[in-house]
Amino acid sequence: MSQTANIRPSGQAFLRQYELVDRVRAYDPSADEAILNKAYVFSMKAHGEQMRHSGDPYYAHPIEVAGILASLHLDVASVCTALLHDVLEDTDTTYSQLAEEFTPEIAELVNGVTKLGQVELSSPNPSRERQQAENFQKFVLAMSKDVRVLLVKLCDRLHNMRTLQYHPKKESRERISRETMEIYAPLARRIGVDQICSELEDLSFQHLNSSVFESITKRVDAWRADQKIIISEMSIGLRDLMDVHGLNVRIYGREKRAYAIWRKLERQGISFEDISDIYAFRIVVDTPETCYKVLGILHQAYRCVPARFRDFISVPKGNGYQSLHTTILSAENNRVEIQIRTERMEDIAERGVAAHWAYKNQSYAFDPESANLAGGDPLRRIRPLVEMMEHTGDAAEFLEHVKLEMFTDQVFTFTPKGELISLPIGATPLDFAYAVHTKIGDTCIGALINGREKPLRTRLKNGDVVKVIRGGHPAPQPDWESIAITGKARSALRRLVREEQAIEFQRIGALLANHAFAREGKDFSESSLEDALKRLAIENVNALYEILGRGELSVVELMRAVFPHRGNADAIEDFKAREIIQDETARLYVKGDGIKPGVGMHLSTCCSPIPGDRIVGYQAEGQGIVIHTIDCEVLGSFEDQDDRWIDLAWRRAADQTASTGRMIVTIEHVPGALADLTKIIGEANGNLINIKTVERSPTFFDMIIDVEVTNNRHLSHIIAAVRASTFVVSADRARIEPSIEITNTEA
Ligand code: MN
């Protein structure tokens, strides 16, 4: 086939056939050139005249995807799969044709990728969420069979994201970006392919949150111009220092991407100026011993920032990441982050699973020995998803858990025997118990952390040794689901609570049925319900009690089914169980003894708690219970009266109502600043309720802003978005009303 076709309308050349083959042969001298050539030509022919949105011929896409796989050093079968990944879906080619023309292995891989592609993971129509969730389950199953299927799919997605700007529809661009951000990027992170993950995140972020992306990019540009000299001096200083010690190392600098900066603003609640690792130096050496040697040399030559030192060589991250991180102070007192690692660690950090394909015994293949050295089964972080899927009854619930789970970072804890249990940050002893074993989680009633008994809501820290205290049988409290954060623990707790609730509803239902019979002067027996069961199409007596207890069936409806010939007995007052138990579904769930029913509760105005916040109640004389956030300063003055403190937790409200979150923002006094701010809040789905401003100086304003939010996470998200604005100096959640005079200028 003619090679002149390799020019895109944009004039940009894409990977030619011999270039692709050369690339593969560079890392796999045993590569079967003939099959690569055949796949390249086959793909071009099969896609023929098809076009991409960009105006490029369609086959440019599989060729580019193959190029990305080659840059990850994947095997020939994977590269061929990339070339052929769209032929089953988009052309007349059949599975058996692929198996015959190429190999059964390649046909199977292409089939796997095709199946993944057919799974619709996100839909603009929320009523299709269930379908979407079930699809995701299929997706997890398909990719858990062969990690190469997932790798090809990720490269396919990466190339589609790189060309997403050509997609004509804005809604589609946003839907595809959201799906990439919520599912593909976290999956790439799970298998450690950071190179792909960070590019996917950054590209999605650019489409999803363009104004924040632009403000961060602008600030980084300004920062870079500002730091240019410092960075080059530091670079020379490091190079000289290594030379003096006769160390042959590779030093280079790396700038954080906009999305990674955004995550820091959002997660850590810091301002742009406080991010010390926008730029980091990497020192890449030959052996782990040299890593520590370099660290010693650095710490002797410069002052280090102790809190910022991390040793991921001794305790690798959950995805196998290894490196030493330290932050040193330059001669001018600038903080500089330095990462020290071996070439191999660097390779695994960038390519993850893909780093374990190696040329050995004259063939190029996945090397389990190499994977074992790096911490074992490369799919071990995918398998829990499969396990979780098996334990979660409801597909939508599963999807929610998976999304939560994949987004969080890790904390490392240990069993008393020293076994490492890695959990998402914010995990509690309950999560720990379930991570060890479902049975241990189910019977957990308390925990010793580092030998001391601690409440179950305690957030675990790196290095904590946790011993689970177990009771005889499952006894979960209704608020435990809000204490646990891992999908596994939450779905198990939900299951337990559901079971327990079912028993409780059955008890209420049986009571109601009994009373209804008594009111009519009839003898009650379960056998008298049998005909009614048939009429109501209910399976058994317990199921009947349960729906009666839940209030889905009223007492009159039941009696009508039991005595169908009796006619309308209007004397019977109809009611549903729902009304009886309504009290229990109040938005707040109160844990702790000594609270009389009917005691009034209200949210304090000093800290304005919103759902998701950790809260305590304070029983004030004559005021009922006043609810504060756990970190509210006002609580300090009650410290000596802890008998009046009541442990409270949020209960999931049946319908999610909005709460008012308050923040204090210091903003530059320039035209356009306020407009920018309101735009950012709007884009973050925050409903602005009120803005109060007070002039601080001719150059700055302080503003108190109230927004309607769904929970505390939503509020932190908005605050982080506000911080990213170029006009904003600082933004924080408001705790105590400042004692300054406030002029109300309605927004
Ligand atoms: Mn594709």
Side-chain angles (χ1 to χ4, degrees), residues 58 61 85-86 156:
Y58 193 91
H61 164 66
H85 80 270
D86 278 330
D156 173 36

Side-chain angles (χ1 to χ4, degrees), residues 594-603 616-628 638 644-646 648:
I595 298 173
K596 295 184 200 86
V599 169
M601 284 194 267
H602 61 271
L603 302 171
V616 291
Y618 175 73
Q619 205 153 18
E621 207 77 60
Q623 281 184 57
I625 295 165
V626 187
I627 299 158
H628 295 269
F638 305 144
R644 286 168 175 265
W645 289 38
I646 298 138
L648 297 177

Side-chain angles (χ1 to χ4, degrees), residues 457 479 482 587-591 615 647-651:
R457 61 177 67 243
D479 66 326
S482 71
R587 237 171 72 127
L588 279 168
Y589 170 76
V590 182
K591 191 183 146 204
I615 47 172
D647 204 3
L648 297 177
W650 299 97
R651 156 175 276 207

Side-chain angles (χ1 to χ4, degrees), residues 129-182:
E129 249 179 38
R130 163 166 301 275
Q131 183 61 38
Q132 176 198 339
E134 282 167 11
N135 282 343
F136 188 70
Q137 297 191 330
K138 286 185 208 149
F139 185 91
V140 169
L141 271 186
M143 72 188 178
S144 63
K145 284 186 192 135
D146 191 330
V147 74
R148 291 178 296 176
V149 169
L150 177 58
L151 283 165
V152 175
K153 191 66 208 166
L154 288 172
C155 295
D156 173 36
R157 180 50 66 116
L158 179 58
H159 184 249
N160 286 334
M161 288 303 296
R162 282 179 182 170
T163 51
L164 192 62
Q165 72 270 27
Y166 298 114
H167 205 297
K169 278 202 232 138
K170 186 168 188 275
E171 302 89 76
S172 306
R173 290 199 301 267
E174 286 181 357
R175 178 180 55 78
I176 293 167
S177 298
R178 197 164 301 115
E179 189 180 272
T180 303
M181 190 67 108
E182 289 184 348

